[in-house]
Amino acid sequence: MALTTSAEAPLPVGEVSRLIGGWIDRLGAIWVEGQITQLSRRPGAGVVFMTLRDPSYDISVSVTCYRQVFDAVADVVAEGARVVVHAKPEWYAPRGQLSLRAAEVKPVGIGELLARLEMLKRSLGAEGLFALDRKKPLPFLPQLIGLVCGRASAAERDVLENARRRWPAVRFEVRNVAVQGVHAVPQVVRAVRELDELPEVDVIVVARGGGSVEDLLPFSDEQLVRAVAECRTPVVSAIGHEPDSPLLDLVADLRASTPTDAAKKVVPDVGEELERVRALRDRALRAVRGLLDREERGLAHALARPVMEHPRRMVAEREAEVDALLARGRRVLGHLLDRADSELAHTHARVVALSPAATLERGYAVLQRSDGSVVRSPGEVAAGEELRARVAEGEFAVRAADGDVVPRP
């Protein structure tokens, strides 16, 4: 229950310590897992002192146990080993210190570690942290590479030397950390996050040489896996050798079998790129030349066509056709004119033959009154009437005789 205190009614330190001890006593015995960082076995002492540390967090707790409890596992437990302790929390009131009184210590075997890693792998995989669609592509040519590795380690040397041999101008931002032991996880996580926050870092490489399963456990830690999954910068895992497969390999954007392989996958080879540029240039040159040759052949084929060799041939052919049509038109028109002239002459002859002038030429005369009307019957003429007689060569005046005009029988 919460206590009611104030500046006017505070609790004494001893009372606070006593209350804390009471709360801890009610916790009872618990099973605790951790890694032994310190182990003190004084000769003749009946108590063994240990420090148990959580490898994922910077938290430690003191553990004490009787010698006979520790002697049962003394041959297989040493500093750096992972153990499971059945202990009861104790509160040492005079110093205000928490410790665990171990009644049983059990080493964590390789099989058990692998089983826990498999369970963690399934749990993280179910969250989608290992999904392929989360993988980020690596830049073709990173300008600055972040490298997380052990200080003066072979992994650091392999990455630096091979990368600079492939691309001499490449630059590195190196973070040296502990790559095994209780301090490895927090240091690697901090280094990865620091490099991820640098905008000029294009890719992060986490590298470590080979080792035992226990040595590589920090790179299967859940905290590190989640930190890498949250990175905005592509991360390359280069842990151990080809058979080694920590969980970091699954969450990283690219897995390299070794640190040397990481350098080859992250940085292109300048010689190979120059050769590729030369090959592409030659290919482009061949393509352009092929295009020009094809167009030249097409142009030559077009120029070889008759219409291009003799461009006036079509005009000449059409000119001949026009001349032929013109001559034909003239012939047709001439025939039409000749036929019309013949018909006109025939008609003229008929008109001449049937005209009054022709009749007059044969000796006939036409009598006309003074008003120009033609006399057609003797009864139409009065005695003594003046008439005009029209003959072929002209005309003259006549007078009708007195008496009856009798037509000649």
Side-chain angles (χ1 to χ4, degrees):
M1 296 177 62
L3 299 177
T4 301
T5 61
S6 64
E8 291 73 20
L11 286 178
V13 173
E15 182 64 16
V16 173
S17 181
R18 185 187 66 79
L19 291 173
I20 294 175
W23 292 331
I24 292 176
D25 286 339
R26 289 195 295 271
L27 182 60
I30 56 174
W31 286 97
V32 182
E33 180 185 359
Q35 188 173 18
I36 298 177
T37 58
Q38 292 181 352
L39 179 60
S40 177
R41 299 176 62 190
R42 297 176 183 176
V47 179
V48 177
F49 297 92
M50 296 180 293
T51 300
L52 203 61
R53 184 181 183 88
D54 187 335
S56 299
Y57 300 93
D58 192 13
I59 299 176
S60 300
V61 64
S62 298
V63 180
T64 60
C65 65
Y66 292 111
R67 177 176 290 275
Q68 58 269 28
V69 174
F70 185 80
D71 287 344
V73 294
D75 295 336
V76 293
V77 171
E79 289 188 1
R82 283 179 174 261
V83 294
V84 176
V85 177
H86 188 240
K88 186 179 185 308
E90 292 184 345
W91 180 257
Y92 186 58
R95 293 184 181 177
Q97 182 177 357
L98 175 67
S99 64
L100 299 176
R101 172 69 68 171
E104 185 179 358
V105 179
K106 296 176 60 176
V108 179
I110 297 299
E112 188 175 357
L113 285 176
L114 294 178
R116 292 182 183 180
L117 288 180
E118 184 63 26
M119 292 178 60
L120 179 60
K121 175 181 176 181
R122 293 179 181 176
S123 175
L124 297 177
E127 294 183 26
L129 297 185
F130 305 149
L132 294 179
D133 55 2
R134 299 184 74 259
K135 307 294 183 182
K136 295 179 285 294
L138 270 62
F140 169 71
L141 180 59
Q143 300 300 313
L144 182 63
I145 300 175
L147 177 60
V148 180
C149 59
R151 184 179 302 276
S153 61
E156 178 181 7
R157 183 178 62 255
D158 290 345
V159 174
L160 296 180
E161 290 182 357
N162 285 279
R164 287 168 178 162
R165 188 180 299 117
R166 292 172 63 83
W167 199 276
V170 68
R171 297 181 297 116
F172 282 90
E173 184 72 23
V174 181
R175 292 291 186 274
N176 294 123
V177 297
V179 292
Q180 68 182 56
V182 295
H183 301 288
V185 173
Q187 290 187 16
V188 174
V189 170
R190 183 168 57 253
V192 169
R193 287 174 175 170
E194 287 179 359
L195 293 174
D196 185 53
E197 291 175 357
L198 297 177
E200 60 271 18
V201 174
D202 298 320
V203 64
I204 299 173
V205 178
V206 182
R208 187 202 189 282
S212 63
V213 175
E214 294 89 341
D215 293 338
L216 299 182
L217 281 178
F219 299 97
S220 294
D221 187 86
E222 181 179 359
Q223 184 183 3
L224 176 59
V225 171
R226 294 188 181 278
V228 172
E230 295 171 357
C231 286
R232 60 168 184 82
T233 308
V235 178
V236 177
S237 173
I239 306 301
H241 302 300
E242 182 66 32
D244 301 323
S245 182
L247 297 185
L248 180 62
D249 288 349
L250 302 178
V251 73
D253 299 294
L254 178 68
R255 177 188 182 270
S257 58
T258 62
T260 300
D261 183 51
K264 293 180 180 179
K265 290 183 176 180
V266 171
V267 180
D269 184 85
V270 62
E272 293 178 359
E273 296 306 319
L274 288 175
E275 182 60 31
R276 183 175 295 130
V277 169
R278 283 193 290 268
L280 291 175
R281 183 182 59 190
D282 295 341
R283 179 181 176 184
L285 184 59
R286 289 194 300 271
V288 172
R289 287 177 175 174
L291 178 62
L292 292 178
D293 292 341
R294 184 168 63 252
E295 295 301 324
E296 287 181 354
R297 289 193 299 270
L299 182 60
H301 179 71
L303 292 176
R305 297 179 63 182
V307 69
M308 298 301 295
E309 289 185 346
H310 305 285
R312 295 183 59 84
R313 174 180 295 179
M314 182 180 296
V315 177
E317 292 176 354
R318 297 296 180 268
E319 183 180 11
E321 293 179 3
V322 170
D323 291 342
L325 292 174
L326 181 61
R328 180 181 176 183
R330 286 177 176 174
R331 288 195 302 273
V332 170
L333 180 61
H335 293 328
L336 293 175
L337 292 177
D338 291 342
R339 186 170 60 187
D341 182 70
S342 175
E343 292 178 354
L344 181 62
H346 180 70
T347 302
H348 181 267
R350 291 179 60 189
V351 170
V352 169
L354 297 176
S355 66
T359 302
L360 296 178
E361 289 289 338
R362 291 196 299 270
Y364 290 92
V366 178
L367 294 177
Q368 293 177 318
R369 292 187 181 87
S370 58
D371 58 1
S373 61
V374 178
V375 179
R376 292 181 173 82
S377 171
E380 297 177 355
V381 180
E385 182 180 358
E386 289 187 358
L387 302 173
R388 296 194 66 79
R390 183 176 179 180
V391 295
E393 296 297 330
E395 61 182 24
F396 54 90
V398 295
R399 182 183 298 274
D402 293 336
D404 296 333
V405 179
V406 181
R408 182 180 294 178

